[in-house]
């Protein structure tokens, strides 16, 4: 990977390896979301996708994720700005918005565990989708993102 590539190149100019390394492994984008049909507001739940390994905060079947989870969407450089539900801490969103990487990002700290230590990873609060009945999902809303944001 090129030195400090996240500062020197646009997201669209990154190699595949650099693009993948930019993910901080927080797992926040893998939390379930509910969209209000009337208002378009998006609610984020503390319930993680069935494939998210809550120990590592990584997808347990990354290669086949789109076949196994139809709602899983591919993040691309062109779509970062459109995915308004990406958390403000997301490295792709930060770079897209010109905010650079946080001190706890593994590319800065040199330690993948710094994401959990900073409280950014979802391991310490998320529960797994198979453990939550559908009728209880509303009880797990932790944030609502209005359509206007
Ligand atoms: S929110 Fe962003 S940085 Fe965190 S796991 Fe998802 S894509 Fe990676
Ligand atoms: S399939 Fe994998 S990458 Fe997609 S939302 Fe689920 S855990 Fe995340």
């Amino acid at each position: 990977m090129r030195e400090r590539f996240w500062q020197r190149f646009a997201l669209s100019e990154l190699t595949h390896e650099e693009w993948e390394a930019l993910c901080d492994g927080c797992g926040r984008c893998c939390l379930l979301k509910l969209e209000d049909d009337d208002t378009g507001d998006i609610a984020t739940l503390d319930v993680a996708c069935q494939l998210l390994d809550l120990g590592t905060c990584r997808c347990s079947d990354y290669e086949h994720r789109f076949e196994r989870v139809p709602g899983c969407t591919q993040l691309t450089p062109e779509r970062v700005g459109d995915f308004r539900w990406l958390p403000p801490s997301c490295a792709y969103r930060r770079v897209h918005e010109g905010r650079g990487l946080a001190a706890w990002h593994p590319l800065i700290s040199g330690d993948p565990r710094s994401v959990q230590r900073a409280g950014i990873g979802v391991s310490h609060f998320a529960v797994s989708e198979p453990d939550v009945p559908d009728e209880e999902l509303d009880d797990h809303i932790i944030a609502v993102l209005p359509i206007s944001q």
Side-chain angles (χ1 to χ4, degrees), residues 42-101:
I42 295 176
T44 300
L45 282 58
D46 64 0
V47 181
C49 168
Q50 57 181 305
L51 287 191
L52 190 71
D53 181 327
L54 286 176
T56 62
C57 279
R58 293 285 181 180
C59 183
S60 60
D61 194 3
Y62 192 67
E63 188 181 346
H64 303 107
R65 62 195 188 284
F66 301 126
E67 296 131 63
R68 295 190 57 187
V69 178
C72 181
T73 46
Q74 175 111 47
L75 185 62
T76 63
E78 297 74 27
R79 301 171 87 180
V80 172
D82 295 334
F83 286 6
R84 61 192 179 93
W85 43 264
L86 284 173
S89 60
C90 174
Y92 298 98
R93 183 169 175 176
R94 289 182 64 112
V95 171
H96 175 73
E97 295 175 351
R99 291 188 287 126
L101 299 183

Side-chain angles (χ1 to χ4, degrees), residues 26-34 42-49 52 54 85 87 120-123 125-129 140 142:
C26 69
R28 290 189 177 231
C29 58
C30 303
L31 296 176
L32 300 194
K33 295 156 200 73
L34 297 174
I42 295 176
T44 300
L45 282 58
D46 64 0
V47 181
C49 168
L52 190 71
L54 286 176
W85 43 264
I120 301 299
V122 304
S123 289
F125 68 85
V127 293
S128 190
E129 187 176 6
H140 287 265
I142 54 174

Side-chain angles (χ1 to χ4, degrees), residues 106-124:
L107 288 171
I108 304 292
S109 68
D111 182 359
R113 293 171 298 183
S114 59
V115 180
Q116 296 298 333
R117 280 202 296 267
I120 301 299
V122 304
S123 289
H124 66 288

Side-chain angles (χ1 to χ4, degrees), residues 34 45-47 127 131-141:
L34 297 174
L45 282 58
D46 64 0
V47 181
V127 293
D131 296 331
V132 182
D134 285 351
E135 61 272 20
E136 293 181 13
L137 287 176
D138 281 351
D139 299 333
H140 287 265
I141 293 173

